[in-house]
Amino acid sequence: MLLLQVPLKPTTHCNVIKKKPLPQYCSRNLSSLATNANLNYDQKITVTTRRNPSKRFKKFYCQPVCSQHGGYASSSKPENDCDHFLTGLCKQWDAFHRFCRPHTVIGTVIGISSVSLLPLENVTDLSSAFFVGLLKALAPSILMNIYVVGLNQLFDVEIDKVNKPELPLASGEFSMGTGITIVSTVLLMSFAMGVMFKSPPLFCALLISFLLGSVYSIELPLLRWKRHAFLAATCILIVRAIVVQLAFYVHIQKFVLGRPVKMTRSLAFAVVFMCIFSSVIALFKDIPDVDGDRYYGIQSFSVSLGQEKVYWFCVNMLLIAYGAALVVGASSPFLPSKLFTILGHTALASLLWLRARSVDIADKASLTSFYMFIWKLFYAEYLLIPFVR
């Protein structure tokens, strides 16, 4: 006779393993025990026998088999082939999602979409040709973004084990071979699309992103620019602030809408404002990572000047940028543009100041959370830029 004294948890699967041998007449019943019970991890199982009901063996424990929802596990076949495939697929997708650094991909998508709206003069410009042109800009740019962040992870495995152990290469979920395959594939696909779409500004944007992303990360003489604070910030600023604004504006203006290129008030504002914002991102991203950077000789501004000084410098830069945006908004001749610009930037500046005062600079988790908040401000700014007219 087998008795179980186990509180049930519906999301746990397990097999039963022995930590101490039991008599043979007990062990024969273990497969049915594991098949018919939904047990907790490390849950002790009390086993009695017909031969000696008073003697109990408490050296059987649950061993996790998978993390699927519901169902039971068997000692001979823990899960069916379909569940096993879906479990593996979900794990691989989650690792790939982290490998792509989604906050940067979102920034690329929102930034290109926002800049692509700047050439529009009326509602009729929102044609099928515009949306096709936008998709042609987004697809290869997202792939190039994945190349840049993936390449950085390939050369930063040891640093990421200290600074970002959740990344798949640092955690061991992806092998170096898998990382190289992903990076090579997305790079080739990005350039193939850039050539196929026949838009010179689009291809130039991809080429510049490839070159700067490569010299930023690759460990070769005269490269690995991320070791030098100024060069590292310059790489990010050129791509995020200049290439994205100018290249994709020209792509839509000339090669999608077929109009002559001209500098507009909204484009000039976007370039200047994003120069400041991209500089802040380039500086702030190193603040939570000082331990690993210092150990591996990365001379970021946070390492050389200290976290607190760089932190408040970044916050003040953003506040100055928001103040300048209010001046630009107040001078707009269009009332809706003026209202959206003033109210929007006032709200963002207030949120920034309130959040900045609550951050514990000595706590890495607090700094990382605030860094992701800065990215959200980055997204929000791109929602406001089309209203600057």
Side-chain angles (χ1 to χ4, degrees), residues 89 137 192 231:
L89 185 63
L231 292 176

Side-chain angles (χ1 to χ4, degrees), residues 30 50 55 150 164 215 217 243 285 337 343 351 355 358:
L30 289 179
R50 293 178 181 175
K55 188 173 183 180
K164 303 178 183 75
V215 301
S217 299
V243 172
K285 74 179 186 63
S337 172
L343 294 177
L351 289 173
R355 182 70 185 271
S358 65

